[in-house]
């Protein structure tokens, strides 16, 4: 088997960076450029700040970490910052819509790219379905809090844990139609909703600090005690098998155990990378957007956690009304019930932005995988709005069906494991690409890469071990289905394989026209027959051949035939400009080419100045494009 055949059939064939970024052929970057740095920050805040900011701190403080949950937020944030550094470097050299999928394709090969892309599809599809259900629950609660009566016919069709739900269906349908109509409208809507929910968060923090009591933060690390019975994590199973230990809550171990659950709140910064093809100057702006959005989200989460725990304390949180949003119930307990209604509105806005960004990212990942042929190519078709409308409609339809037929709220941890799985590959891709492609320009570089990459992989692996055993089982089934799909369809339809199967084009020589009769003037474009007057002329009406150098001792070959232009050279060795009307100007010939009739003799200055072009005044002018567009 030849090398080409092995490459075509090899599942580990890698996508060249130049092809991934569209530098070798046109049309890859067909998405409309709509994002700036601040838009990317809003995109990240839109997905990272959801309803979890109003409840996750209270849940983990009362059940796992106590006031030490503040440190848990910082631990989880630190792990995500490490992963974000890897995303920032790879986004600066491979700014494409596929994000982790494309990074794995370039660094490790096709089958690994498919595995990562399939995990991303699971994560984003399931997350959109889960949050649509949660949106329905909060919308129903908000209607109840505001005293809005619910028609009896809708009582069993809204705010349901599973089964058909009108609110979940409606919010997904609205988002899908908005995205199918173009990115600009969705971006303006996202700006409005993110600003509104940030204002709500500011009001929550300011109001909670009025009821702040330092005593609610002590003891900062409550005494450790056995955790309540529940789903065992993989780490619990390993520790139990090795040492016979049991899970514990509170204390140092509880503070560490809360970090994996909190990391779920920060997941979403990686989705900013899926907007790379729609961002101007993406290699610089996308890394900035990723890191700025993540740091901002960490600050807001820690501030809300500090205000909530300081307002009611760990024991007070455990006594709150479980039927209401935790933060709204906390305000009710201190006599600030009006803030509870504002929290309801903020939670609905927050969830709407999360669903919107999740669907944007899902469609871009599906678009990128389809463009490479691993999913049906028609899904990569663009609409007149320069958005992948087919991918949007198909992905949105799948999310709607999943939200209405599956008990998705029980599968929430699958979203986390899909994200963390992609984080592992992205972190490992940094040293892999530095080793295989050290020549690539990296506008952003991960500091102390070997050490930071190792710490990132260990930290992300530890978070994955804190997911329950059932989640790992479901994830294994999903990945098994994905591998079967790749072997049956993607491996055969891959654009990389089709590209390698296509034989290289060879130039075909044109047939020679018959020579004209003697004495006849040849038509334009036909070479005259060689004669004694100009035996060294090249074919063409004027001739561009050369005479041997021995006819002009000490001078280079002349591109003009002797006798045609007797004054073919100016004093000093510079060729004269073409006197023919419409002749080529010297600047049209790149300096140094063998066929450049205006090339200088070695050591002779150019009287016309630099070759970048001359205006009417004779001064040197820059090309019409910047250096990035020069050929």
């Amino acid at each position: 088997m030849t090398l080409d055949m092995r490459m075509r059939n090899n599942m580990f064939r890698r996508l060249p960076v130049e092809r991934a970024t569209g530098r070798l052929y046109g049309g890859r970057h067909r998405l409309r450029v709509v994002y700036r740095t601040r838009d990317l920050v809003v995109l990240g805040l839109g997905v990272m700040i959801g309803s979890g900011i109003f409840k996750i701190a209270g849940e983990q403080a009362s059940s796992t970490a106590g006031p030490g949950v503040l440190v848990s937020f910082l631990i989880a944030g630190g792990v995500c910052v490490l992963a974000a550094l890897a995303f920032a470097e790879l986004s600066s050299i491979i700014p494409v819509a596929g994000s982790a999928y494309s990074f794995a394709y370039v660094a490790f090969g096709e089958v690994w790219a498919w595995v990562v892309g399939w995990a991303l599809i699971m994560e984003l599809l399931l997350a959109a379905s889960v949050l649509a259900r949660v949106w329905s629950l909060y919308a129903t609660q908000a209607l109840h809090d505001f005293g809005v009566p619910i028609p009896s016919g809708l009582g069993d069709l809204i705010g349901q844990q599973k089964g058909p739900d009108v609110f979940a269906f409606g919010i997904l349908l609205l988002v899908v139609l908005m995205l199918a109509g173009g990115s600009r409208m969705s971006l303006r809507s996202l700006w409005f909703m993110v600003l509104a929910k940030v204002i709500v968060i500011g009001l929550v923090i300011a109001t909670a600090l009025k009821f702040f009591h330092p005593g609610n933060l002590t003891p900062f690390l409550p005494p450790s005690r056995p955790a309540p019975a529940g789903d065992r994590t993989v780490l619990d199973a390993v520790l139990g098998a090795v040492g016979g230990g049991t899970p514990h809550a509170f204390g140092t171990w509880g503070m560490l155990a809360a970090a994996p659950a909190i990391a779920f709140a920060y997941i979403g910064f990686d989705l900013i990378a899926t907007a790379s093809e729609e961002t101007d100057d993406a290699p610089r702006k996308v890394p900035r957007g990723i890191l700025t959005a993540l740091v901002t989200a960490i600050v807001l989460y820690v501030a809300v956690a500090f205000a909530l725990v300081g307002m009611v304390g760990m024991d007070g949180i455990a006594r709150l009304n479980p039927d209401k949003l935790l933060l709204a119930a906390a305000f009710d307990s201190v006599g600030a019930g009006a803030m509870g209604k504002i929290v309801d509105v903020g939670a609905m806005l927050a969830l709407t932005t999360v669903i919107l960004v999740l669907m944007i990212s899902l469609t871009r990942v599906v678009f990128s995988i389809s463009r490479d042929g691993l999913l049906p190519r028609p899904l990569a078709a663009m609409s007149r709005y320069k958005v992948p409308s087919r991918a949007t409609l198909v992905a949105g339809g799948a999310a709607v069906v999943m939200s209405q037929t599956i008990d998705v709220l029980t599968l929430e941890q699958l979203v986390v494991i899909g994200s963390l799985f992609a984080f592992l590959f992205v972190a490992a891709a940094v040293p892999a690409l530095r080793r295989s492609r050290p020549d690539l320009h990296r506008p952003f570089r991960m500091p102390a890469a070997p050490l930071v990459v190792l710490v990132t992989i260990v930290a992300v692996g530890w978070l994955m071990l804190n997911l329950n055993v059932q989640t790992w089982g479901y994830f294994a089934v999903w990945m098994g289905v994905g591998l079967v799909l790749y072997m049956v369809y993607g491996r055969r339809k891959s654009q990389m394989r089709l590209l390698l199967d296509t034989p290289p084009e060879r130039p075909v020589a044109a047939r020679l026209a018959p020579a004209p009769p003697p004495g006849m003037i040849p038509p334009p474009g036909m070479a005259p027959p060689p004669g004694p007057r100009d035996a060294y002329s090249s074919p063409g009406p004027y001739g561009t051949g050369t005479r041997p150098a021995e006819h002009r001792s000490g001078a280079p070959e002349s591109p003009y035939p002797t006798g045609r232009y007797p004054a073919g050279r100016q004093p000093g060795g510079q060729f004269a400009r073409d006197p023919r009307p419409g002749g080529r100007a010297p600047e049209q010939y790149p300096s140094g080419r063998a066929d450049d009739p205006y090339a200088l003799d070695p050591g002779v200055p150019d009287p016309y100045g630099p070759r970048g072009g001359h205006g009417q005044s004779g001064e040197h002018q820059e090309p019409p494009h910047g250096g990035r567009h020069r050929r």
Side-chain angles (χ1 to χ4, degrees):
M1 183 179 292
T2 65
L3 178 62
D4 288 342
M5 292 179 65
R6 288 198 302 269
M7 180 60 70
R8 287 195 296 269
N9 295 323
N10 189 356
M11 296 187 299
F12 301 96
R13 50 188 170 238
R14 298 181 185 179
L15 182 69
V17 175
E18 293 78 11
R19 181 174 174 83
T21 55
R23 280 183 250 165
L24 293 187
Y25 62 98
R28 187 173 182 91
H29 295 270
R30 294 171 294 170
L31 297 171
R32 177 183 294 173
V33 175
V34 294
Y35 296 116
R36 299 158 294 179
T37 302
R38 57 180 177 268
D39 299 323
L40 296 176
V41 174
V42 169
L43 199 70
L45 295 179
V47 69
M48 283 186 283
I49 300 180
S51 63
I53 197 170
F54 301 116
K55 65 174 185 176
I56 192 168
E59 290 176 348
Q60 295 302 315
S62 61
S63 64
T64 308
V69 73
L70 300 177
V71 179
S72 303
F73 272 98
L74 296 177
I75 294 173
V79 175
C80 290
V81 167
L82 294 176
L85 292 174
F87 272 94
E89 174 167 329
L90 296 179
S91 296
S92 72
I93 58 178
I94 314 174
V96 294
S99 184
Y101 155 78
S102 297
F103 303 157
Y105 208 159
V106 171
F108 303 116
E110 186 173 278
V111 67
W112 294 116
W114 168 257
V115 165
V116 173
W118 190 243
L120 288 177
I121 290 175
M122 179 199 69
E123 169 204 345
L124 298 172
L125 185 62
L126 186 58
S129 304
V130 168
L131 293 178
R133 280 287 181 177
V134 177
W135 191 93
S136 176
L137 294 173
Y138 285 160
T140 306
Q141 181 64 43
L143 292 177
H144 181 270
D145 291 343
F146 280 95
V148 177
I150 298 175
S152 57
L154 290 179
D156 295 332
L157 293 176
I158 61 174
Q160 302 298 309
Q161 296 279 346
K162 57 183 178 180
D165 190 285
V166 174
F167 280 175
F169 176 85
I171 188 62
L172 283 174
L173 182 63
L174 176 64
V175 168
V176 169
L177 293 178
M178 185 186 301
L179 294 179
S183 297
R184 294 189 184 276
M185 180 175 66
S186 59
L187 181 60
R188 286 193 291 267
S189 304
L190 183 65
W191 262 95
F192 169 76
M193 289 185 287
V194 169
L195 288 176
K197 74 178 179 182
V198 169
I199 292 173
V200 170
I201 292 171
L203 291 175
V204 165
I205 295 172
T207 304
L209 290 177
K210 293 181 180 179
F211 302 95
F212 183 85
H213 296 287
N216 289 330
L217 297 179
T218 57
F220 193 75
L221 291 178
S224 178
R225 54 185 161 181
D231 293 334
R232 300 181 68 195
T233 68
V234 174
L235 186 60
D236 293 336
V238 171
L239 293 178
V242 173
T246 58
H248 279 68
F250 305 110
T252 303
W253 182 257
M255 182 181 67
L256 295 174
I262 293 172
F264 173 69
Y266 296 137
I267 287 175
F269 65 86
D270 54 307
L271 303 184
I272 298 175
T274 62
S276 295
E277 288 190 35
E278 298 165 90
T279 303
D280 181 40
D281 193 16
R284 289 174 174 80
K285 292 182 179 178
V286 171
R288 265 185 240 147
I290 290 174
L291 296 174
T292 303
L294 178 57
V295 172
T296 303
I298 292 173
V299 170
L300 291 177
Y301 269 100
V302 172
V304 170
F306 179 78
L308 173 62
V309 178
M311 179 173 64
V312 294
M314 181 184 72
D315 294 332
I317 293 173
R319 295 192 296 267
L320 294 177
N321 182 2
D323 295 331
K324 298 192 67 173
L325 189 62
L326 192 146
L327 193 55
F331 280 116
D332 287 343
S333 68
V334 296
M339 278 301 301
K341 296 179 180 179
I342 296 178
V343 170
D344 288 337
V345 175
M348 291 180 61
L349 286 174
L351 285 171
T352 304
T353 63
V354 176
I355 296 170
L356 178 60
V357 178
L358 286 171
M359 291 305 304
I360 291 175
S361 302
L362 175 59
T363 56
R364 272 45 177 183
V365 170
V366 171
F367 164 76
S368 186
I369 298 175
S370 302
R371 184 170 56 185
D372 292 329
L374 303 185
L375 286 176
R377 287 272 291 175
L379 293 178
M382 306 295 291
S383 70
R384 59 176 179 156
Y385 303 108
K386 293 297 181 181
V387 294
S389 295
R390 289 185 183 177
T392 301
L393 294 175
V394 170
V400 168
V401 171
M402 181 176 287
S403 69
Q404 301 297 303
T405 58
I406 300 175
D407 187 7
V408 291
L409 294 178
T410 62
L411 304 176
E412 186 176 353
Q413 284 198 356
L414 279 174
V415 177
V416 183
I417 197 171
S419 299
L420 297 179
F421 183 76
F423 289 1
L424 286 178
F425 276 87
V426 172
V430 171
L433 278 179
R434 288 194 181 185
R435 182 173 58 255
S436 63
R437 293 299 303 272
D439 58 304
L440 294 175
H441 176 54
R442 292 168 168 81
F444 180 90
R445 294 179 66 91
M446 174 187 280
L451 177 61
V452 175
V453 167
L454 179 61
V455 174
T456 303
I457 292 174
V458 171
V460 172
W462 174 71
L463 292 179
M464 294 180 73
L465 291 177
N466 278 273
L467 301 174
N468 62 49
V469 177
Q470 187 180 30
T471 298
W472 278 88
Y474 288 150
F475 182 67
V477 172
W478 175 264
M479 299 310 293
V481 172
L483 285 174
V484 171
L485 182 60
Y486 170 76
M487 298 300 294
V488 171
Y489 181 86
R491 186 182 179 187
R492 295 185 299 105
K493 299 293 186 178
S494 167
Q495 289 297 298
M496 277 291 292
R497 178 175 182 176
L498 296 178
L499 180 69
L500 293 170
D501 280 339
T502 303
E505 296 183 0
R506 288 188 172 183
V508 180
R511 298 182 60 183
L512 296 177
M520 176 180 287
I521 299 175
M526 180 179 293
R533 185 180 66 84
D534 194 5
Y536 296 96
S537 297
S538 298
Y542 293 99
T544 57
T546 59
R547 281 192 174 275
E550 62 263 26
H551 290 277
R552 290 169 53 245
S553 176
E557 299 177 1
S558 169
Y560 295 103
T562 302
R564 192 174 300 278
Y565 299 111
R569 296 177 65 85
Q570 293 183 345
Q574 171 67 36
F575 287 113
R577 294 178 179 269
D578 193 342
R580 291 170 286 159
R584 289 186 177 180
E587 57 268 22
Q588 294 181 3
Y589 295 89
S591 177
R593 278 178 45 180
D595 58 346
D596 187 350
Y598 300 95
L600 293 175
D601 289 345
V604 177
D606 187 351
Y608 296 101
R611 297 302 179 96
H614 304 275
Q616 294 180 355
S617 63
E619 297 180 357
H620 171 65
Q621 297 179 352
E622 291 293 334
H625 301 291
R628 193 170 53 174
H629 299 281
R630 295 176 186 166
R631 292 181 180 268

